[in-house]
Amino acid sequence: MSKSTLKTVLIGCGVCLLTQSQPAIGQNSRSTDISKEVELEEVVVSSTRTGNKGALSNSKIDGSQLQETNMGENLPYLLQRTPSLVVTSDDGLGIGYVYFRVRGTDQSRINMTVNGVPLNDSESQSVFWVNMTDMVSSMSSLDIQRGVGTSTNGAAAFGASINMQTEKPAAKPYAEISFNGGSYNTLRESVKAGTGIMKNGFAIDARYSKVSSDGYIEHGTSDLYSYYASAAWYGQQTMVKLLAFGGAERTGIAWDGIDPTTWRDDPRHNSAGEYTDENGETKYYDNNTDNYHQQHFQAHVSHLFNKNWSLNAALHYTKGDGYSEQVKADDDFADYGLAPYKVGETEISSGNLIRRKYLDNDFGGLTLAANYRNDRLQLTFGGAASSYAGHHFGQIINILGQDYPGTLGNEYYRNQGDKNEANAYAKANWEIVKGLSVYGDLQYRFIRYHLSGINDEDMKEMDMGNDFHFFNPKAGITYQTGGHNLYANFAIANREPTRKNYTEGGPNDHPTYETLYDYEAGYSYMHRWFNIGANLYFMDYDNQLVLTGKLSDTGAALTRNVKDSYRAGIELMAGVLLGKHLRWDGNLTLSRNKILNYTDWVDDWYADWDNPDVVANSGQVQMDYGTVDIAFSPNITAGSTFTFDWKRFCAALQTNYVGSQYLDNTMNEASKLPAYCVSNLSLAYTLPLKKAVKDITFKVQMNNLFNEKYVSNGWSYSYFEGADKNGNFQKSNQKYDVGYYAQAPFNIHAGFCVRF
């Protein structure tokens, strides 16, 4: 193993898979030096990655390392070596809808960018990886900053920020064909090619990928495709690059979850799409699906003025549109504000209604940053502005199981969300004396968000929104000497509510913005044969929007503000070379995640079960729970990776442990997910060839190697069935409905990649 490779692995601190040393761009047999092109590419993202040097809360992952284990799962599943990160999926395989959390915070609170361009949806503030399957095949690197991190563009970073950079230029023309298949009829096909940088400075790259799967969960199918194309020109001082990437998804709806009893007896069961026909038989609606298209367009210009100054600017536009289609069993037209449907003289007031909810949105803007660098000082001045318009509407398109002519097409709601925002920032990293650096970062962010139209939840007219003015300062200090690294950071972040916070909050929930005070400090030591590190964090929240455990009817997690809460923990990382070809890397996070003086409102059902007309939600009861754990925040997570690398063969055994976690904030054992431990084994062998075909890599991926039966996500709904005999509401009398999302048992996938 070379010294440079060892250093790269040690820096990874257990995050990256050890792979065979790859030649850097420009080290191939190309006679022309393309280091200038690489430098121009780096200018694109340098403004969003400048932070406190040496902080262990930062992890940089090379794209080729992610591709080593890429078998069609969406990106979060390839990041499981990252400390404090937990993943889950609706389909149980990681192919369809996939979600992740960092330090207990969900992905709607994690800032994500591609080439410095915002990726988070403006209204939900989340990223839907199912719309960009296999995007990792077109990435050159990925930078994860846990905590607030450095100033960037787009959504607020309340748990982490992830900056992705697309591919850099290849030295020579290339082509790749990849294929793999496996359990539950999972297939991935990908074709990729590029011209390399030609004599005139132009370079073209393209990729097309197709991923399909039946999913582990019944009817949790996925039919996905994605594409990536870029055309770039590299001059001596200037780069111009045009990008287009995106994809489409058609997935079976699997966001309802199952109760614990069903999970034990029939974990693959999926009740979404079930209905009872006119003969009383239970059937399944085959088109119970989610359908969405999303296209991203970017135009980048980078210019090196001299050895110190550089500038990058980008224009971007994203188009998204699609719909979800569901059967709503035995629903009334009146529930949708619609009059009964007439067939001749007959009025139909209810039935198994087929409902579509549409989304059509447009997002565009620009980013700009100027960078100054010398041996001891890095300065960045940047900003961005963007505009978003989201159109939401729904229709009852038919009644299932009845012979009615045509399609109904009754529209029952239409509303629009408009969001305009802008930010400006300045940041600096200054090495005062050798080894001692200070870091400062100031950002101003403005948001204007407005919702209007008919709400799809209660059919009421809405006219709501706010203007927000946020100031987000950050500062840090680092001392590095002889392999030792000591650092400390402080940052303030502010975050606006999401669309769901406005439209689907309870009657006592009126969302406001939240503020985070993030304190981070750590130490690491890097030796020739081992590395150790510890990162302490204290995240103090004011008005944090926490998950309540409840879901909307489209599977969205609902939240509400709590005044005082915090997350505190320690992240431990270590790695050691156990021999010439064997290495172990591990990480451990121990944390406390608390809400102080938590109060919630619980639905109260005064039920006369002999008289169904009386059964109704007749109000809510205020309950005080004191200090409680924050939902979906395990107190312990851990990861371990053994890597064996010998000649052209590489094997990695990765294990993740996630401690128990509550599904809501009441800390009731009925709404608790048990701890789980899952191991995955990956094997790869590269066969070198000659002439037209350079090599073939054969890969095998075995997930959940020891067949653990587990759930990684869920929901909880609590309620009362009236007061006790003394007229009081006691926590011991609280009832719970709980939903689990079962994950797949042992599954295996195998394939190959041919490089030309």
Side-chain angles (χ1 to χ4, degrees):
M1 181 180 295
S2 69
K3 185 176 180 180
S4 61
T5 301
L6 172 62
K7 183 178 179 181
T8 300
V9 174
L10 288 171
I11 291 174
C13 294
V15 176
C16 301
L17 173 65
L18 179 62
T19 59
Q20 291 176 301
S21 179
Q22 298 293 325
I25 295 175
Q27 291 179 340
N28 294 344
S29 57
R30 173 179 167 85
S31 59
T32 303
D33 180 14
I34 63 167
S35 61
K36 185 68 70 177
E37 284 84 350
V38 176
E39 187 178 357
L40 285 164
E41 286 277 356
E42 291 292 341
V43 169
V44 173
V45 294
S46 60
S47 58
T48 57
R49 291 186 178 179
T50 301
N52 196 20
K53 294 194 302 180
L56 277 184
S57 56
N58 290 11
S59 303
K60 185 174 181 179
I61 307 174
D62 189 82
S64 63
Q65 295 168 322
L66 293 174
Q67 292 165 24
E68 290 288 335
T69 54
N70 178 21
M71 304 292 278
E73 295 168 312
N74 279 312
L75 179 63
Y77 272 71
L78 305 180
L79 303 178
Q80 292 188 77
R81 295 179 178 88
T82 304
S84 306
L85 186 143
V86 177
V87 299
T88 186
S89 66
D90 284 355
D91 71 346
L93 281 179
I95 305 295
Y97 273 89
V98 168
Y99 316 93
F100 71 103
R101 301 186 182 95
V102 176
R103 296 181 180 174
T105 61
D106 68 274
Q107 62 189 38
S108 70
R109 309 161 72 76
I110 296 173
N111 172 278
M112 287 171 265
T113 58
V114 174
N115 303 325
V117 172
L119 187 61
N120 300 69
D121 174 73
S122 293
E123 290 195 280
S124 70
Q125 299 183 38
S126 191
V127 171
F128 302 100
W129 302 102
V130 72
N131 299 317
M132 46 195 300
T133 186
D134 205 33
M135 185 62 185
V136 68
S137 292
S138 298
M139 286 185 189
S140 66
S141 66
L142 185 147
D143 187 71
I144 302 175
Q145 302 177 53
R146 299 185 301 280
V148 171
T150 185
S151 289
T152 184
N153 302 314
F158 255 58
S161 57
I162 298 179
N163 177 273
M164 292 161 275
Q165 184 179 11
T166 54
E167 289 185 307
K168 298 176 184 178
K172 288 184 174 182
Y174 69 93
E176 294 181 9
I177 298 175
S178 299
F179 173 83
N180 61 262
S183 302
Y184 307 103
N185 291 322
T186 300
L187 296 173
R188 169 182 170 265
E189 304 103 18
S190 180
V191 178
K192 181 179 175 182
T195 63
I197 297 181
M198 297 178 281
K199 292 183 179 180
N200 56 12
F202 284 94
I204 298 173
D205 295 274
R207 174 189 56 82
Y208 178 83
S209 300
K210 181 79 168 61
V211 178
S212 60
S213 176
D214 289 346
Y216 170 64
I217 302 301
E218 290 177 343
H219 314 299
T221 58
S222 296
D223 186 8
L224 322 173
Y225 79 81
S226 74
Y227 66 89
Y228 171 86
S230 70
W233 174 77
Y234 299 90
Q236 285 298 311
Q237 304 293 127
T238 305
M239 178 196 76
V240 179
K241 191 172 187 178
L242 305 177
L243 300 173
F245 63 92
E249 59 94 0
R250 179 181 175 85
T251 57
I253 291 175
W255 57 54
D256 284 2
I258 54 177
D259 63 83
T261 300
T262 303
W263 172 64
R264 287 190 293 268
D265 299 337
D266 184 13
R268 298 191 66 188
H269 182 70
N270 179 12
S271 62
E274 290 182 354
Y275 68 97
T276 303
D277 68 9
E278 62 273 18
N279 299 318
E281 295 182 7
T282 299
K283 293 187 176 181
Y284 179 80
Y285 179 55
D286 289 334
N287 204 35
N288 215 59
T289 58
D290 187 69
N291 308 264
Y292 195 73
H293 298 75
Q294 192 173 71
Q295 285 80 39
H296 302 259
F297 304 94
Q298 299 180 5
H300 293 270
V301 176
S302 299
H303 182 71
L304 300 172
F305 293 97
N306 50 48
K307 66 178 182 178
N308 301 120
W309 283 97
S310 63
L311 177 74
N312 62 278
L315 290 171
H316 62 90
Y317 171 69
T318 301
K319 175 64 180 178
D321 65 274
Y323 65 89
S324 63
E325 181 171 321
Q326 294 174 273
V327 58
K328 305 301 290 183
D330 200 26
D331 263 12
D332 296 329
F333 279 96
D335 293 338
Y336 299 88
L338 300 175
Y341 180 60
K342 290 188 176 181
V343 180
E345 299 297 321
T346 303
E347 286 192 350
I348 310 299
S349 60
S350 64
N352 297 317
L353 307 185
I354 304 301
R355 184 189 73 180
R356 279 189 180 180
K357 301 183 80 169
Y358 294 86
L359 175 61
D360 185 355
N361 52 33
D362 299 270
F363 174 65
L366 60 90
T367 67
L368 182 69
N371 307 287
Y372 174 84
R373 294 173 181 268
N374 63 27
D375 292 340
R376 297 176 59 180
L377 179 65
Q378 299 177 36
L379 292 172
T380 298
F381 306 93
S386 63
S387 180
Y388 169 91
H391 305 277
H392 308 257
F393 57 98
Q395 293 178 331
I396 303 299
I397 65 169
N398 217 328
I399 305 174
L400 192 62
Q402 301 292 337
D403 187 20
Y404 299 132
T407 299
L408 299 182
N410 299 61
E411 185 172 292
Y412 66 96
Y413 77 91
R414 180 178 287 270
N415 59 66
Q416 180 167 331
D418 296 300
K419 189 172 187 177
N420 298 300
E421 65 175 283
N423 81 85
Y425 57 84
K427 47 190 173 183
N429 199 314
W430 177 36
E431 187 177 20
I432 303 173
V433 295
K434 185 177 181 180
L436 180 63
S437 300
V438 293
Y439 164 68
D441 185 335
L442 302 175
Q443 183 196 48
Y444 166 74
R445 184 167 175 248
F446 168 76
I447 303 102
R448 172 169 291 168
Y449 182 51
H450 184 253
L451 279 165
S452 61
I454 302 298
N455 187 3
D456 58 320
E457 295 303 313
D458 56 16
M459 303 301 112
K460 294 181 179 179
E461 186 77 29
M462 60 181 179
D463 184 4
M464 61 182 74
N466 294 98
D467 288 357
F468 299 96
H469 299 269
F470 295 144
F471 176 59
N472 303 314
K474 308 167 185 70
I477 186 169
T478 302
Y479 180 68
Q480 297 174 315
T481 182
H484 299 274
N485 177 41
L486 186 67
Y487 63 91
N489 298 331
F490 172 71
I492 299 176
N494 295 275
R495 178 179 179 269
E496 73 279 13
T498 68
R499 172 187 171 86
K500 295 294 184 182
N501 297 145
Y502 282 109
T503 63
E504 297 188 2
N508 299 290
D509 299 330
H510 306 287
T512 186
Y513 73 93
E514 49 189 329
T515 302
L516 167 61
Y517 304 89
D518 183 24
Y519 306 81
E520 310 255 350
Y523 166 80
S524 67
Y525 175 68
M526 184 179 295
H527 187 268
R528 183 180 178 186
W529 300 109
F530 71 92
N531 64 279
I532 57 173
N535 183 70
L536 292 164
Y537 65 89
F538 180 71
M539 304 169 71
D540 186 18
Y541 294 90
D542 183 20
N543 288 322
Q544 182 181 186
L545 282 158
V546 298
L547 295 167
T548 64
K550 297 181 181 180
L551 295 181
S552 72
D553 67 343
T554 58
L558 304 184
T559 60
R560 57 179 296 265
N561 289 102
V562 295
K563 178 59 181 173
D564 297 308
S565 59
Y566 69 86
R567 301 180 187 275
I570 182 170
E571 296 166 327
L572 303 172
M573 289 149 278
V576 60
L577 290 174
L578 301 174
K580 186 177 181 181
H581 303 290
L582 182 64
R583 176 175 178 82
W584 174 81
D585 292 285
N587 62 76
L588 171 68
T589 299
L590 303 172
S591 65
R592 287 173 57 87
N593 310 276
K594 297 291 185 180
I595 302 171
L596 307 181
N597 305 312
Y598 179 63
T599 299
D600 202 358
W601 286 265
V602 181
D603 289 347
D604 172 26
W605 292 8
Y606 290 91
D608 178 358
W609 300 108
D610 295 327
N611 184 359
D613 294 333
V614 179
V615 178
N617 180 354
S618 56
Q620 292 191 315
V621 178
Q622 180 174 323
M623 298 294 294
D624 298 321
Y625 296 95
T627 298
V628 297
D629 284 358
I630 303 176
F632 301 100
S633 302
N635 292 332
I636 178 171
T637 60
S640 168
T641 302
F642 287 93
T643 306
F644 179 76
D645 184 18
W646 179 67
K647 294 186 177 180
R648 301 179 185 90
F649 175 75
C650 184
L653 175 63
Q654 173 207 336
T655 301
N656 288 98
Y657 174 83
V658 178
S660 61
Q661 53 189 304
Y662 291 101
L663 298 175
D664 64 14
N665 305 310
T666 66
M667 290 187 68
N668 191 292
E669 293 298 309
S671 64
K672 191 176 186 179
L673 286 184
Y676 59 90
C677 184
V678 178
S679 296
N680 305 320
L681 176 64
S682 61
L683 307 171
Y685 175 74
T686 299
L687 176 65
L689 298 172
K690 297 180 180 180
K691 297 183 179 180
V693 179
K694 294 180 180 178
D695 58 57
I696 301 177
T697 298
F698 300 94
K699 298 190 292 184
V700 177
Q701 178 80 23
M702 289 171 274
N703 299 319
N704 199 352
L705 190 63
F706 302 111
N707 207 34
E708 174 92 348
K709 185 174 182 178
Y710 74 105
V711 292
S712 55
N713 195 19
W715 56 264
S716 175
Y717 169 67
S718 64
Y719 59 95
F720 286 107
E721 293 180 347
D724 62 19
K725 61 182 180 181
N726 298 317
N728 299 318
F729 294 91
Q730 304 289 342
K731 296 175 187 175
S732 58
N733 293 330
Q734 233 171 305
K735 308 294 183 181
Y736 287 83
D737 287 339
V738 174
Y740 284 168
Y741 295 92
Q743 303 301 291
F746 173 79
N747 57 97
I748 184 170
H749 308 265
F752 60 86
C753 177
V754 182
R755 299 179 183 89
F756 301 91

